[in-house]
Amino acid sequence: MKTEEMITRLAEGLRPVRRMPSPPVMLALWTLLAASVIGLAALVFGTREGLDRPMTRFDMMHSLAALLTALLAGLAAFELALPDRDRRWAWLPLPAIGLWLGTMGVGCVGELVRLGAEGIRFHVSWPCLQFIIGLGLPMAGLMLWLTRHAAWIRPGPVAGFGALSAAAFASIGLTLVHPTFGPLMVLAWHGVAVLAVTGLAALFGPRLAWRVPA
Amino acid sequence: MSHAQPLCLMLAPGQVARDARDLRWSTLMAAAQEGDGAAYATLLAECLPFLRAICRARLRDAAEAEDAVQDALLTLHRVRHTYDPARPFRPWVAAIAERRALDRLRRRGRQVARETLLDDAAELGAEGEAEERLAACQLREAVGELPQAQRTALQLTKIEQLSLQEASARSGMSIGALKVATHRALHSLRRRLTGGAP
């Protein structure tokens, strides 16, 4: 088919489209959706004991860094999903991710100094993994749907940052529901779960997104 | 992006013209988003040389470049709701064309790599390869004798492995017509290559 003929066909019976809101508006919508999902999870699973007590310095820093990661990774995903946006948006969430890992790293060192290597018992936290992956994957799916138009633009990075945002929100949700075991366990299992959600979405997200009409 | 830049970096007198044109394209796109088909057709026709320049800068093969232009038009159509009329139109459409041209370039690179591997294998076992070539030649001939609609359906759905929606958008055939044409094409080829009457 000739290109000119294709143009005629595309223009024939053209339907109006709803213009996409700007990335900050999409981020606000996404944050609202994520907060609703976390709130629902807290209602279903119940909040952990001692939630009314003031947070420790570590928990506060960890939650703040996770929130910052969730928001900035979300914004990067919405920006990168648009054709004309600079690819340097991908750098935006990196300081927050660094801060998130940094707070956990500092907490780990503190715990090692306090308890010594023998004092640390390594165990698999299944509830932690299940919660972040169980909540993070459907939320990542929701994010993929919100950024489905990126399938034709930058599917991999958008799916990756979108899922990172979802997993970071799920990690915040976990701190409301599940008692923490100390920085080392938090680092290990939050990290593994967030990595799993982000990796799965980056790998399979683009393939799924291709199947969804923009 | 580097190939698109020379088109954007014009001298001062051109700057005014470019801005006016960008504004016009932006207005036409906003109208297209409202469902104005005539504005859309005008916009795409006016953009066509720009899209061709981007794709031809990336792809040396003229036919391949034209395919990339068509891919870009289809992408533009699918994501037309993502354009914000408050922003310049040209970077938006250029980014789409760049991406489609790069996709074609990568696909072409993979194809060339595969062809090179086959050439190497040919030197090692020419006899088996000759049979394969003959079969390929017969297949190509049989495909060439199919009616145009069946050939297009086969090319898009089985060779390029596009989804039915994509194949339909590309060819202008309905999904039902594509399914029937593909089925008939496969049936004809099977009969022809297994020795049955065509």
Side-chain angles (χ1 to χ4, degrees), chain A residues 1 3 17 19-20 153, chain B residues 33 66 70 81 99-100 172:
Chain A
M1 187 195 293
T3 307
V17 286
R19 208 167 284 147
M20 239 191 83
I153 313 298
Chain B
Q33 287 176 326
E66 198 60 17
Q70 295 195 357
H81 62 292
R99 189 139 285 267
R100 291 293 78 91

Side-chain angles (χ1 to χ4, degrees), chain A residues 101-177:
Chain A
L101 294 176
T103 54
M104 289 191 272
V106 169
C108 282
V109 172
E111 198 170 55
L112 275 169
V113 168
R114 190 166 57 85
L115 300 172
E118 296 80 23
I120 301 215
R121 283 174 56 229
F122 194 79
H123 60 272
V124 179
S125 173
W126 291 112
C128 178
L129 272 175
Q130 281 167 359
F131 190 92
I132 296 185
I133 295 178
L135 200 64
L137 274 184
M139 283 170 72
L142 184 64
M143 185 54 146
L144 278 178
W145 186 78
L146 287 174
T147 55
R148 60 197 180 281
H149 50 278
W152 287 277
I153 313 298
R154 299 180 185 99
V158 171
F161 281 121
L164 176 63
S165 175
F169 271 129
S171 169
I172 296 167
L174 180 69
T175 59
L176 302 177
V177 173

Side-chain angles (χ1 to χ4, degrees), chain B residues 104 149-164 166-173 178 182:
Chain B
R104 287 261 163 198
Q150 290 184 19
R151 224 179 321 150
T152 306
L154 198 70
Q155 169 72 27
L156 297 178
T157 61
K158 298 295 172 192
I159 297 172
E160 291 189 30
Q161 295 190 321
L162 298 180
S163 70
L164 282 169
E166 287 168 329
S168 170
R170 177 89 79 83
S171 63
M173 293 166 75
L178 271 171
T182 309

Side-chain angles (χ1 to χ4, degrees), chain B residues 111-167:
Chain B
Q111 210 175 331
V112 167
R114 276 201 300 271
E115 281 167 5
T116 310
L117 280 175
L118 279 174
D119 286 348
D120 291 346
E123 284 175 22
L124 296 171
E127 204 170 314
E129 203 264 345
E131 272 180 34
E132 272 186 13
R133 256 192 202 167
L134 184 63
C137 179
Q138 285 172 333
L139 179 64
R140 206 173 295 129
E141 205 176 276
V143 170
E145 285 172 13
L146 290 173
Q148 178 63 44
Q150 290 184 19
R151 224 179 321 150
T152 306
L154 198 70
Q155 169 72 27
L156 297 178
T157 61
K158 298 295 172 192
I159 297 172
E160 291 189 30
Q161 295 190 321
L162 298 180
S163 70
L164 282 169
Q165 281 91 344
E166 287 168 329

Side-chain angles (χ1 to χ4, degrees), chain B residues 98-108 110:
Chain B
E98 285 277 350
R99 189 139 285 267
R100 291 293 78 91
L102 277 175
D103 283 352
R104 287 261 163 198
L105 200 63
R106 282 196 204 107
R107 214 177 300 167
R108 183 87 195 120
R110 283 198 294 268

Side-chain angles (χ1 to χ4, degrees), chain A residues 1-4 6-12 14-20 22 81-85 87 148-155 210 214, chain B residues 30 32-37 40-41 44 48 52 66 70 73 75 77-83 85 87 91-92 95-96 99-100 166 170-172:
Chain A
M1 187 195 293
K2 282 193 170 180
T3 307
E4 286 76 7
M6 177 186 266
I7 289 176
T8 311
R9 294 227 184 152
L10 289 176
E12 269 169 10
L14 184 74
R15 279 184 299 180
V17 286
R18 187 189 296 225
R19 208 167 284 147
M20 239 191 83
S22 68
L82 298 173
D84 56 344
R85 303 306 158 99
R87 68 183 68 172
R148 60 197 180 281
H149 50 278
W152 287 277
I153 313 298
R154 299 180 185 99
W210 273 105
Chain B
Q33 287 176 326
E34 305 291 325
D36 185 341
Y40 195 45
L44 297 186
L48 200 51
R52 280 184 175 140
E66 198 60 17
Q70 295 195 357
L73 285 170
T75 304
H77 187 73
R78 283 183 190 121
V79 302
R80 64 191 189 279
H81 62 292
T82 66
Y83 175 64
R87 297 172 70 92
W92 184 82
I96 292 173
R99 189 139 285 267
R100 291 293 78 91
E166 287 168 329
R170 177 89 79 83
S171 63

